[in-house]
Amino acid sequence: MAAETAIIASLHPSPIAKNATFTTFSSWASPSQLSIFYKPIKISRSLVSQRKKPSLNTRCQVVFPNENIDSKAFTASPLQLLKSSPANRYTKERSCVAVIGLNVHTAPVEIREKLAIPEAQWPQAISELCAMNHIEEAAVLSTCNRMEVYVVALSQHRGVKEVTEWMSKISGVPISELCQHQFVLYNKDATQHLFEVAAGLNSLVLGEGQILAQVKQVVKVGQGVSGFDRKISGLFKHAITVGKRVRSETNISSGSVSVSAAAVELALMKLTGSSYATARVLVVGAGKMGKLVIKHLAAKGCKNMVVLNRTEERVAAIREEVKDVEIIYKPLSEMLSCASEADVVFTCTASETPLFLKEHVEMLPTVQPEIGRRLFIDISVPRNVEQSVSELKTAVVYNVDDLKEVVEANKEDRLRKAMEAQTILLEELNKFEAWKDSLETVPTIKRLKDNFERIRDAELNKCLSKIGDNISEKNKKAIYDLSVALVKKLLRGPMENLRCDDARTLDEILENMRALNRMFDLETDKSVLEQKIRAKVEQTRK
């Protein structure tokens, strides 16, 4: 334990008094205990002033009560101390895939909207996450129903801690509150979760099709972004395959309703004594969600509607697709005047601030007597309609969380259909896990080749030096080619036994890998992880 404490001393940018005593917390508690990290720590004012500058390596910020700090520790490197202390768990712990997030099943919209990240900011989010000490790769899936962060972490508990802190920082939601709604899954469970998401099995509406397009967008946006690398990219690409298979080989999508369709259905349920044939409808936003709202309105008998959007091009394109419906375009600048003439208002824009405030709606004229109160169906996250609008006697607001009322109506039928997808999910899950585990052999292959290449090069130079200068370039090349050919043939057997194919099981491949590590003293896992740790330390120092 003293060695672990010494690590802190060597990494801390300010002098630490010998025999100093600290209040402690555990940095490797389980995710469910994350909230204990943030309880107030009683420390002296002088120590606070010393700690204003961030530590060079926050991965090792773990201190223990009543431990003396050895002054000799200041002369050793963080990596040397790490390898010689009980904290060498870093060199033994495998990196893991984890998902940390909130969705419609775990968190209300007022929490989710604070964490929502626009698509244009996904690359920046990946960069910020991968700049953390324990995060190698990352991806963000942010929709109206979920905000999920997928990472490859060097240490699963420390990685979760860092991502949780980041989520709290960007949203302003206290960590204690975040942990009440957050879910955390690791490795196979995290993979299965994403597969279920892509297949529409984790959506508010089972079988929803739009989520697959959103998963595809994660891959599209992530291409070329540093940090959206092999494991995370492979995970999302495989999830797309799963989503396609489930929809093509099962009946889960037959008659399925999207969030937009459920919104249209909810409004119809609330239009007591009226219908879309008589109600005046306004749609704010003509993006993907807005387009679906318009199509479902037309299917429910709405013959005319007003659509507000920044530009007219999208509305004109929708008008070409939706025949026999009068779609009137209006710019966003006429939002309040259009709302004053509408009985039902659907909002589905990417605005990060509310478009309709209480004082705006309060000034609008009353709706038709048979409608009763003006309906606002807000399916945007962040929300487009201020929640306080519901306090008015002239209006009522429904958001995405209120769609559960519609979903419950056909839940049993859809759950039966969802069972059809489980066989596909299990099959694809096993395929992906085999692929992911096979990646463990890549460092072994590389180090084995490098090892043979060093020997070949050294022996070649030794041979040429013995022969001396009395040798033609042709003969030199012949000797060089001979050395390369010998190494290539010697490596053929080991390489074949590390290759994934139908002839051998994954367990056999991994056992072959471990055998090669022992025979050639490659120490692949430890060396690779040490390199990653060293790179993270250097990155933090810059």
Side-chain angles (χ1 to χ4, degrees):
M1 185 173 289
E4 287 185 271
T5 310
I7 297 173
I8 313 308
S10 68
L11 294 176
H12 205 286
S14 306
I16 302 178
K18 191 174 182 180
N19 301 324
T21 301
F22 298 86
T23 302
T24 181
F25 62 87
S26 170
S27 74
W28 52 68
S30 66
S32 63
Q33 297 174 312
L34 278 173
S35 58
I36 68 172
F37 300 153
Y38 309 98
K39 291 182 179 179
I41 300 177
K42 296 180 181 178
I43 49 181
S44 67
R45 186 177 299 276
S46 61
L47 187 55
V48 173
S49 63
Q50 289 180 19
R51 294 184 66 179
K52 285 183 179 178
K53 186 177 179 181
S55 169
L56 293 177
N57 189 356
T58 55
R59 78 161 47 82
C60 294
Q61 287 182 342
V62 184
V63 288
F64 298 85
N66 304 320
E67 286 286 341
N68 294 333
I69 297 177
D70 187 357
S71 58
K72 294 179 181 179
F74 291 96
T75 62
S77 72
L79 194 60
Q80 288 171 331
L81 287 166
L82 191 63
K83 291 162 66 177
S84 62
S85 75
N88 69 0
R89 59 187 286 129
Y90 282 103
T91 61
K92 296 177 181 178
E93 185 176 5
R94 287 177 55 188
S95 63
C96 75
V97 175
V99 54
I100 306 98
L102 307 91
N103 59 33
V104 69
H105 305 298
T106 69
V109 65
E110 52 265 28
I111 298 294
R112 299 199 310 274
E113 67 183 356
K114 293 177 183 177
L115 286 124
I117 301 177
E119 185 181 305
Q121 295 177 21
W122 290 357
Q124 179 186 340
I126 293 172
S127 298
E128 290 179 4
L129 287 162
C130 291
M132 296 173 184
N133 288 347
H134 297 88
I135 307 300
E136 287 187 278
E137 303 180 30
V140 173
L141 177 59
S142 181
T143 73
C144 62
N145 282 333
R146 67 187 69 249
M147 193 291 191
E148 299 174 356
V149 177
Y150 293 81
V151 297
V152 174
L154 289 173
S155 164
Q156 63 180 34
H157 300 311
R158 291 172 175 84
V160 168
K161 178 178 180 288
E162 289 175 349
V163 173
T164 303
E165 289 173 340
W166 176 80
M167 291 171 73
S168 176
K169 180 181 177 181
I170 66 167
S171 65
V173 179
I175 291 178
S176 58
E177 185 177 1
L178 203 58
C179 291
Q180 294 175 18
H181 304 286
Q182 184 185 71
F183 68 89
V184 180
L185 297 170
Y186 299 111
N187 296 318
K188 200 168 184 177
D189 291 335
T191 300
Q192 182 172 345
H193 174 77
L194 181 58
F195 287 1
E196 290 175 351
V197 168
L201 301 179
N202 192 257
S203 298
L204 179 63
V205 181
L206 279 172
E208 176 204 358
Q210 192 174 4
I211 186 63
L212 181 58
Q214 291 162 334
V215 172
K216 289 179 181 178
Q217 199 62 21
V218 172
V219 175
K220 182 178 179 181
V221 172
Q223 295 302 315
V225 178
S226 178
F228 189 78
D229 295 327
R230 189 170 187 178
K231 285 185 181 178
I232 287 293
S233 174
L235 173 62
F236 272 80
K237 287 177 180 177
H238 206 111
I240 293 170
T241 300
V242 173
K244 289 178 178 178
R245 274 199 65 188
V246 169
R247 285 171 174 79
S248 63
E249 298 178 26
T250 73
N251 294 322
I252 195 167
S253 297
S254 60
S256 67
V257 290
S258 62
V259 169
S260 300
V264 171
E265 189 68 35
L266 177 64
L268 188 58
M269 291 168 60
K270 302 302 177 182
L271 283 172
T272 54
S274 186
S275 68
Y276 286 125
T278 56
R280 298 171 299 176
V281 177
L282 172 66
V283 180
V284 183
K288 293 177 182 177
M289 298 283 280
K291 181 179 179 179
L292 287 173
V293 167
I294 293 168
K295 286 186 173 182
H296 288 295
L297 282 169
K300 291 293 182 180
C302 184
K303 295 300 180 184
N304 52 74
M305 65 189 81
V306 176
V307 178
L308 273 70
N309 199 52
R310 287 190 178 87
T311 61
E312 190 175 1
E313 286 76 13
R314 283 189 175 181
V315 180
I318 295 172
R319 195 183 288 126
E320 288 297 316
E321 291 185 42
V322 183
K323 305 295 183 181
D324 302 324
V325 177
E326 183 182 4
I327 301 176
I328 302 170
Y329 165 76
K330 294 289 183 180
L332 286 173
S333 57
E334 298 183 29
M335 183 177 65
L336 290 180
S337 62
C338 291
S340 67
E341 299 176 357
D343 302 315
V344 184
V345 180
F346 291 90
T347 61
C348 37
T349 78
S351 174
E352 296 184 30
T353 56
L355 301 178
F356 290 97
L357 304 180
K358 183 178 179 181
E359 54 265 33
H360 295 156
V361 179
E362 195 171 19
M363 295 185 295
L364 298 178
T366 57
V367 297
Q368 301 177 72
E370 61 270 23
I371 300 295
R373 293 190 293 174
R374 181 174 281 106
L375 294 179
F376 285 90
I377 311 295
D378 185 5
I379 56 174
S380 303
V381 179
R383 289 172 289 181
N384 289 169
V385 182
E386 195 174 47
Q387 186 59 35
S388 58
V389 170
S390 281
E391 298 172 4
L392 301 173
K393 294 182 179 180
T394 57
V396 60
V397 180
Y398 297 98
N399 57 51
V400 287
D401 287 359
D402 297 312
L403 301 181
K404 294 175 183 178
E405 183 179 344
V406 178
V407 175
E408 288 298 324
N410 61 355
K411 187 174 181 179
E412 284 190 20
D413 179 55
R414 306 189 67 73
L415 282 173
R416 282 195 297 270
K417 293 177 180 178
M419 293 301 293
E420 302 173 21
Q422 294 305 317
T423 303
I424 294 174
L425 252 67
L426 181 60
E427 180 184 333
E428 293 294 340
L429 185 61
N430 290 334
K431 283 183 183 178
F432 178 79
E433 288 299 308
W435 172 80
K436 188 181 71 171
D437 287 343
S438 71
L439 294 180
E440 286 191 33
T441 65
V442 173
T444 295
I445 292 171
K446 184 178 184 304
R447 289 182 63 82
L448 186 62
K449 285 183 176 179
D450 289 346
N451 194 27
F452 273 49
E453 180 60 25
R454 282 194 298 271
I455 295 171
R456 184 201 64 79
D457 187 61
E459 293 302 318
L460 175 65
N461 290 331
K462 191 185 298 182
C463 173
L464 292 176
S465 65
K466 287 181 179 179
I467 295 174
D469 296 330
N470 191 23
I471 184 174
S472 66
E473 289 299 322
K474 181 178 179 181
N475 287 338
K476 276 186 180 180
K477 185 177 184 305
I479 295 172
Y480 172 82
D481 290 344
L482 173 64
S483 69
V484 170
L486 283 171
V487 167
K488 187 175 180 180
K489 289 184 178 181
L490 288 170
L491 282 173
R492 182 177 299 166
M495 294 302 101
E496 286 180 353
N497 282 278
L498 291 179
R499 187 178 303 139
C500 283
D501 55 32
D502 296 334
R504 55 184 59 85
T505 65
L506 180 63
D507 287 342
E508 183 182 347
I509 293 169
L510 295 180
E511 182 54 41
N512 290 339
M513 179 194 76
R514 286 187 280 268
L516 286 169
N517 285 336
R518 291 192 301 270
M519 285 188 286
F520 293 96
D521 195 27
L522 300 177
E523 295 186 346
T524 306
D525 293 339
K526 184 174 179 179
S527 299
V528 170
L529 196 51
E530 286 176 1
Q531 289 171 15
K532 291 175 181 177
I533 294 171
R534 187 182 290 109
K536 284 288 185 181
V537 171
E538 293 301 321
Q539 184 183 48
T540 310
R541 282 175 176 160
K542 291 179 181 178

